[in-house]
Amino acid sequence: PSFVFAQQMIIKPMWGEKELVYGKYYQSGKDSIMVDRLRMYLSSVRFMDNNKVVDVSEKKFYLISDEDPASFILKLKRSNDLPFHSVRFGIGVDSLTSVSGAFGGDLDPVNGMYWTWQSGYINFKLEGSASECGSDDHRFEFHIGGYQYPCNSYMETEVIAKDNGDIVVHFPVDQLLHGQDLKHDFRIMSPNDKALNFAKKIKAVLH
């Protein structure tokens, strides 16, 4: 098919009611938290109508990065203009792609989102500082990935499209960190149970 129909999907990282500002400290209870790195893969965007796929985006993988503000606006190309009520997409890189080794473009290891062939891609990165953080330099690092059972952290989610204009996906980072014990659990750097639970939380807060 020829992909000639354009559709934008905007990812909005939030803190409370406002868009997240990188490098800004936010009060959270007794803690003061700052985020200065946010990266993730979104993949396999499908346009849904009553639980049926009506179209699929031409490009499969999108790297979203704090270093490139434009990357938060996904310029999706569609093969038709059929109406849709929601979009379904993956958070991360699926296991089949991971097991195939490293690729180019958004999946190029030069982007710093690839561990090794054995561990695969880093689906999601969140880094920053917190006054209550238990690390020596008060830094927290969450690098979430893993494609092998039982620690496959690739998640799929679905977001309702308000109308057929731009699709807006809100990502409340404050809710993601809510309940995270930064005093003791401030670092995830490999596929494990904690990474899997963190991935489930990412899926739960996106809307």
Side-chain angles (χ1 to χ4, degrees), residues 34-140:
M34 177 272 287
V35 171
D36 56 15
R37 171 148 295 170
L38 175 61
R39 291 182 185 175
M40 66 179 132
Y41 280 112
L42 295 188
S43 57
S44 303
V45 180
R46 282 143 293 163
F47 299 87
M48 311 295 296
D49 186 32
N50 292 327
N51 227 21
K52 216 172 75 179
V53 178
V54 293
D55 204 2
V56 179
S57 172
E58 178 184 31
K59 185 178 169 183
K60 189 170 182 185
F61 298 102
Y62 295 86
L63 175 59
I64 293 166
S65 170
D66 59 274
E67 292 185 335
D68 178 14
S71 66
F72 287 82
I73 302 172
L74 279 59
K75 296 187 182 301
L76 309 173
K77 287 186 180 172
R78 299 184 55 192
S79 63
N80 64 52
D81 61 352
L82 291 172
F84 61 95
H85 289 108
S86 61
V87 282
R88 192 177 288 171
F89 56 90
I91 306 159
V93 177
D94 61 277
S95 56
L96 186 63
T97 304
S98 291
V99 83
S100 306
F103 293 83
D106 282 17
L107 293 178
D108 196 315
V110 77
N111 293 315
M113 293 291 281
Y114 188 74
W115 278 316
T116 60
W117 179 83
Q118 195 173 3
S119 299
Y121 283 90
I122 300 168
N123 293 331
F124 177 87
K125 258 187 197 183
L126 182 71
E127 298 177 13
S129 298
S131 56
E132 298 279 304
C133 186
S135 63
D136 292 340
D137 56 0
H138 295 286
R139 295 279 301 169
F140 58 83

